[in-house]
Amino acid sequence: AQSVTQPDIHITVSEGASLELRCNYSYGATPYLFWYVQSPGQGLQLLLKYFSGDTLVQGIKGFEAEFKRSQSSFNLRKPSVHWSDAAEYFCAGLFGSSASKIIFGSGTRLSIRP
Amino acid sequence: DVKVTQSSRYLVKRTGEKVFLECVQDMDHENMFWYRQDPGLGLRLIYFSYDVKMKEKGDIPEGYSVSREKKERFSLILESASTNQTSMYLCASSPPGTLNNEQFFGPGTRLTVL
């Protein structure tokens, strides 16, 4: 069965430090992959998405993600985090060209240390 | 910009009450979704709809029903609310077609059932 796994429930990084949030998927082919962010009390906002082509994807707010087929991963990165990046981050996948449902990971909560 | 609105941000109901959660989108999207979000579980799909008067069960439909009488409106109904339905409920919409299946989310309704 297809699945999306975010192994880190909660991560704390210092302001100005680099960030990497992990995401792994289980699927026999290449899925469509997304990263969403949810600020406290808000709905989800799309950061970036990968469908095909260049495996390094640029998103909004200075985020990027790299698709690695060999590792079944789609990790989210940011070179220098800001206090406003504190939020919950969800990785999600759409599996198959006729798929209709996005499968979400369980989320990673990011805290920023001043 | 796509806008997805939900009728209430916070709702408190009693066990056994019938509860209606309303969602409206203004971008003429065919697809609409209802999720519940619980800590450590991420987003779980309750129901979705591809078109007016059409509905499909998601992963956790038990205890819920939906209604889509108009394209822009998708209602989630708790026929007899129970305490285990206390949760954050998120509505989303998306245009048709796999490559455009980015979902746009509303701000969420935090429902407490006493």
Side-chain angles (χ1 to χ4, degrees):
Chain A
Q2 300 97 3
S3 65
V4 175
T5 303
Q6 293 179 249
D8 303 307
I9 296 173
H10 184 204
I11 285 181
T12 300
V13 299
S14 298
E15 190 166 16
S18 63
L19 170 70
E20 183 168 26
L21 301 182
R22 296 184 292 165
C23 173
N24 294 96
Y25 66 88
S26 174
Y27 184 53
T30 299
Y32 301 135
L33 295 164
F34 308 83
W35 274 101
Y36 284 85
V37 61
Q38 184 181 33
S39 298
Q42 303 297 315
L44 275 69
Q45 180 185 21
L46 183 70
L47 284 175
L48 46 80
K49 57 188 176 184
Y50 172 76
F51 288 157
S52 63
D54 194 345
T55 56
L56 187 62
V57 181
Q58 301 298 319
I60 62 171
K61 305 186 180 190
F63 285 92
E64 66 178 26
E66 186 171 12
F67 171 68
K68 292 186 177 179
R69 186 192 309 275
S70 61
Q71 297 177 19
S72 298
S73 69
F74 188 55
N75 294 349
L76 182 71
R77 302 194 296 242
K78 187 170 184 177
S80 176
V81 297
H82 186 261
W83 63 267
S84 61
D85 293 325
E88 186 142 25
Y89 292 80
F90 292 93
C91 182
L94 189 66
F95 301 94
S97 58
S98 60
S100 55
K101 299 185 295 182
I102 290 180
I103 297 175
F104 285 85
S106 55
T108 297
R109 185 159 62 91
L110 175 65
S111 297
I112 306 297
R113 191 184 300 120
Chain B
D1 281 352
V2 176
K3 193 166 185 182
V4 180
T5 56
Q6 296 183 229
S7 51
S8 305
R9 294 298 300 272
Y10 300 93
L11 209 52
V12 179
K13 295 292 182 181
R14 297 200 177 276
T15 300
E17 279 193 80
K18 190 169 186 176
V19 181
F20 293 87
L21 303 183
E22 304 287 342
C23 176
V24 177
Q25 50 92 6
D26 65 359
M27 282 302 291
D28 204 35
H29 284 173
E30 277 74 7
N31 305 323
M32 296 189 75
F33 307 81
W34 274 108
Y35 295 90
R36 64 176 282 175
Q37 181 182 10
D38 300 288
L41 298 177
L43 277 71
R44 293 180 291 168
L45 183 64
I46 304 171
Y47 267 97
F48 61 105
S49 170
Y50 288 135
D51 203 349
V52 175
K53 296 190 185 297
M54 179 275 172
K55 61 186 178 186
E56 293 264 358
K57 291 181 179 179
D59 300 316
I60 51 164
E62 296 78 19
Y64 303 94
S65 62
V66 291
S67 172
R68 191 147 181 220
E69 296 297 318
K70 294 184 178 181
K71 190 176 186 180
E72 66 271 19
R73 187 180 298 270
F74 191 37
S75 303
L76 180 69
I77 304 156
L78 286 67
E79 294 290 342
S80 177
S82 63
T83 54
N84 62 12
Q85 292 178 309
T86 291
S87 186
M88 170 72 93
Y89 290 88
L90 293 169
C91 175
S93 72
S94 71
T98 302
L99 293 182
N100 286 319
N101 252 350
E102 168 189 344
Q103 294 186 11
F104 297 86
F105 284 83
T109 295
R110 186 166 292 282
L111 172 67
T112 301
V113 182
L114 302 176

